[in-house]
Amino acid sequence: MSRGFHTGEFVREHARGLRARPWRALLIALCAALIGAAVPLVSLIETGGLRESWEQQRAAGRFVQVIRAGTIEGFPVTFCENIARTEGVIAAGAILHREQIQLATFPGQNRELLRVSPGMIAIAWPGLAIPGSGIVAGKDLATQTGLVPDTTVNLTRAGTSETRDIVSIAGERSRVDGLNTALLEPDVRADQYTRECYVEMQPGAAGAVIPTLTEAVPPTFKATPAPYLKKSALVMDPEKQLPQRASAWGWALGAGILFLLLGVLWWSGRAEMALYRAFGARPVQITLALAAEVIATVLVPVAIGASAVIAVAGFTGSIGTQEYLLAGADIARLLLALLPLPLLGAALAHAISPSAVFKGA
């Protein structure tokens, strides 16, 4: 190589040097691809886990409040029905009466028949159609007795017998205790009393709805609202947890590993760079050659590894838009953090003088 060579010639010469030692380029590319895959993978796993636990708790009643009466007789169910018309409330319901009955097909075994306001069925089984008349059977009771929809059963109580239509069977377990083994009959009469009113709110409206619940029932009934789920079991809103997620710093760790790896390799080959300088390579040419090396052995493998993880996650269809955006932001941060790598290499190349190389350094 002669003094005063062109930049393109020097870059090609550096590339030939890399091809002469393929293990070095392969090692860097493999580490870069693994880090490129690990950064979005860890992000998707953590954010997906946060949202999954949140959705599970939402389904279990995270946004359900229970207004409990402080008197034995309870309060009129009309107050509960009025809450159902509040903006931001999904449903409001109450259990009005409990009684023991027997099914004619299973004599000798007491079952519980609950008269409930229509909204109680929506509270217990979100998405289940509320019948205008007839009975809804809990999942466990239907399994035990073989009840099926659109059938008529004989109910025996206090020496009397009557027929009822089974219009629906709950396909899932109730999130309200005690309803899985019971029969529920909607009752729309306004003169009923209840000691508990269940209220489910939209997540975004909880802050506005909860304060109104304290005034929804007159003070004479000493009713107080409280979360249906125990506070000790509540998880934090993922929107508040996401900025604090551990994976938010995964890109920095990955970039640090690649900086360390390339720094060690470039430092071990600093004598070669010093020779380049001795034969007239300018700093800008060294920087451009290292930039080409970084693009080929680091940035491209990082992009390939990250794209593979995103593609697989998209194929499974189990990741939401927010998770993709966060993973994409982490990948972008990683790529941006790696852009100064050629400057690190150029600095290391100037850490030893050409004269020191000729002296055997």
Side-chain angles (χ1 to χ4, degrees), residues 33 36-38 40-41 44 300-315 324 331:
L41 180 62
L44 290 173
V300 171
V302 164
I304 292 174
S307 299
V309 169
I310 296 296
V312 172
F315 179 77
Y324 278 123
I331 295 168

Side-chain angles (χ1 to χ4, degrees), residues 131-176:
S133 61
I135 288 179
V136 175
K139 180 179 180 180
D140 292 349
L141 177 63
T143 301
Q144 297 167 4
T145 60
L147 293 176
V148 295
D150 302 322
T151 57
T152 301
V153 295
N154 292 322
L155 307 181
T156 303
R157 53 185 172 185
T160 63
S161 180
E162 55 184 299
T163 60
R164 285 287 193 276
D165 294 327
I166 303 295
V167 296
S168 182
I169 303 294
E172 299 179 356
R173 293 183 59 81
S174 169
R175 60 184 177 183
V176 178

Side-chain angles (χ1 to χ4, degrees), residues 31-47 245-258 302-303 305-307 309-310 323-324 326-335 337-338:
C31 291
L34 290 176
I35 290 174
V39 168
L41 180 62
V42 171
S43 176
L44 290 173
I45 290 175
E46 184 177 14
T47 54
R245 61 192 173 94
S247 59
W249 295 100
W251 64 271
L253 177 61
I257 293 174
L258 289 174
V302 164
S307 299
V309 169
I310 296 296
E323 285 80 2
Y324 278 123
L326 290 171
D330 288 345
I331 295 168
R333 293 188 187 98
L334 174 61
L335 292 173
L338 295 174

Side-chain angles (χ1 to χ4, degrees), residues 121-122 125-129:
I121 294 177
W125 296 287
L128 183 65

Side-chain angles (χ1 to χ4, degrees), residues 77-140:
V77 73
T78 52
F79 294 121
C80 191
E81 296 296 324
N82 291 338
I83 295 172
R85 291 186 283 272
T86 303
E87 184 178 357
V89 171
I90 298 175
I95 297 174
L96 307 175
H97 182 69
R98 299 173 181 265
E99 61 180 319
Q100 297 294 317
I101 56 95
Q102 290 187 0
L103 297 175
T105 51
F106 293 88
Q109 295 186 15
N110 288 334
R111 307 292 179 179
E112 195 168 40
L113 175 65
L114 307 180
R115 285 192 291 109
V116 300
S117 66
M120 192 63 201
I121 294 177
I123 294 288
W125 296 287
L128 183 65
I130 301 176
S133 61
I135 288 179
V136 175
K139 180 179 180 180
D140 292 349

Side-chain angles (χ1 to χ4, degrees), residues 336-348:
L336 288 174
L338 295 174
L339 292 180
L341 268 173
L343 299 178
L344 170 65
L348 293 176

Side-chain angles (χ1 to χ4, degrees), residues 147-342:
L147 293 176
V148 295
D150 302 322
T151 57
T152 301
V153 295
N154 292 322
L155 307 181
T156 303
R157 53 185 172 185
T160 63
S161 180
E162 55 184 299
T163 60
R164 285 287 193 276
D165 294 327
I166 303 295
V167 296
S168 182
I169 303 294
E172 299 179 356
R173 293 183 59 81
S174 169
R175 60 184 177 183
V176 178
D177 295 338
L179 303 190
N180 291 304
T181 57
L183 298 170
L184 277 69
E185 184 176 28
D187 191 335
V188 297
R189 290 178 296 172
D191 59 345
Q192 306 294 299
Y193 273 63
T194 183
R195 297 195 70 243
E196 293 181 335
C197 175
Y198 293 78
V199 182
E200 182 171 16
M201 306 155 291
Q202 297 174 354
V209 172
I210 291 177
T212 67
L213 300 182
T214 59
E215 303 174 356
V217 179
T220 55
F221 298 102
K222 302 178 181 178
T224 55
Y228 173 64
L229 298 180
K230 294 180 179 179
K231 290 185 177 181
S232 59
L234 298 180
V235 298
M236 186 183 296
D237 187 336
E239 295 297 336
K240 298 179 181 179
Q241 285 185 297
L242 290 178
Q244 305 170 7
R245 61 192 173 94
S247 59
W249 295 100
W251 64 271
L253 177 61
I257 293 174
L258 289 174
F259 264 85
L260 179 62
L261 175 62
L262 279 171
V264 170
L265 292 176
W266 282 338
W267 180 255
S268 66
R270 65 191 184 280
E272 180 182 346
M273 285 298 176
L275 286 174
Y276 285 152
R277 290 173 54 208
F279 285 103
R282 299 188 301 275
V284 65
Q285 293 174 325
I286 294 176
T287 303
L288 289 175
L290 294 176
E293 178 182 352
V294 168
I295 291 173
T297 63
V298 178
L299 297 185
V300 171
V302 164
I304 292 174
S307 299
V309 169
I310 296 296
V312 172
F315 179 77
T316 60
S318 58
I319 304 298
T321 302
Q322 183 73 0
E323 285 80 2
Y324 278 123
L325 293 176
L326 290 171
D330 288 345
I331 295 168
R333 293 188 187 98
L334 174 61
L335 292 173
L336 288 174
L338 295 174
L339 292 180
L341 268 173

